[in-house]
Amino acid sequence: MKIREAAVADSEIIARVHVDSWRTTYAGILSEDYLANLSVEKRKKSWDWTFRNLNKDENIFVCEDSSGQIVGFVNGGVERSGEYPYTGELYAIYLLKEYQGRGIGSQLFKIMAEWLHEKGHLSMLLWVLEANKSAGFYTRMGGQVVGDKMIKIGDDELKELAVGWSDIRQTVRKER
């Protein structure tokens, strides 16, 4: 597996991984109709916009398998809400189901934490649906649940948890 910085040319494959990951991760959590109607084309437009509007405080990394196919990604930057005392934020981390459980998610998490630290962030926040089976991954990575809020996705009302790391240097050291 190889992790590298993403490029705008990766946006379609990132979109495909994003949609496929949502369909497997959120099956049984979000409505079947909502998941079935996710569109790679719409998600690609969103990723194209993201790439065109990246600033120096944001980055996207992808993970490629041995054949060079993108199987996961992570992106993050400055914490966006201003509601919590964290300066960095992991915005999204997704991995195709068949590549989960191999330590790749930990590697993607680590690369983002290291990148945020290099940019001067000592702390990090992320949001995860409480019902997501992978939510425990973040506490195993040293995060603490620091808040929650209700959000609406399609017709579904769901609880989202804020998970924070007050000192990401500990996470970076622990992962080495």
Side-chain angles (χ1 to χ4, degrees), residues 7 12 16-17 20 23 29 43 48 63 75 82-83 87 91-92 95 111 115 135 145 147 149 165 170 174-175:
E12 183 171 355
R16 188 170 311 285
V17 169
D20 290 350
R23 288 182 176 149
I29 298 171
R43 187 56 60 184
D48 285 341
C63 180
N75 78 305
E83 296 175 31
T87 61
Y91 302 149
L95 188 60
I111 197 94
W115 185 84
V145 175
K149 65 182 177 183
W165 289 260
Q170 294 174 353
K174 180 171 35 173
E175 284 297 301

Side-chain angles (χ1 to χ4, degrees), residues 127-129 149-153 156-160:
W127 290 91
V128 61
L129 291 179
K149 65 182 177 183
M150 295 303 291
I151 63 167
K152 188 168 184 162
I153 301 175
D156 299 305
E157 295 273 343
L158 302 156
K159 184 186 277 189
E160 195 171 39

Side-chain angles (χ1 to χ4, degrees), residues 137-148:
F137 167 78
Y138 302 112
T139 54
R140 289 191 299 277
M141 295 300 290
Q144 303 290 316
V145 175
V146 296
D148 63 67

Side-chain angles (χ1 to χ4, degrees), residues 1 41 89 157 168:
M1 294 292 166
E41 294 76 25
E89 182 176 349
E157 295 273 343
I168 58 175

Side-chain angles (χ1 to χ4, degrees), residues 3-6 54 57-62 73-78 88-93 104-119 121 123-126 168 171-172:
I3 297 177
R4 64 169 174 80
E5 282 192 42
L54 274 180
D57 297 320
E58 296 177 67
N59 209 343
I60 304 165
F61 295 91
V62 293
F73 70 90
V74 63
N75 78 305
V78 174
E89 182 176 349
L90 190 155
Y91 302 149
I93 181 170
I104 300 167
S106 295
Q107 291 175 33
L108 287 167
F109 178 93
K110 175 185 170 189
I111 197 94
M112 183 51 65
E114 287 177 349
W115 185 84
L116 287 168
H117 183 254
E118 288 170 8
K119 292 295 182 183
H121 298 284
S123 60
M124 181 175 74
L125 181 78
L126 64 80
I168 58 175
T171 302
V172 171

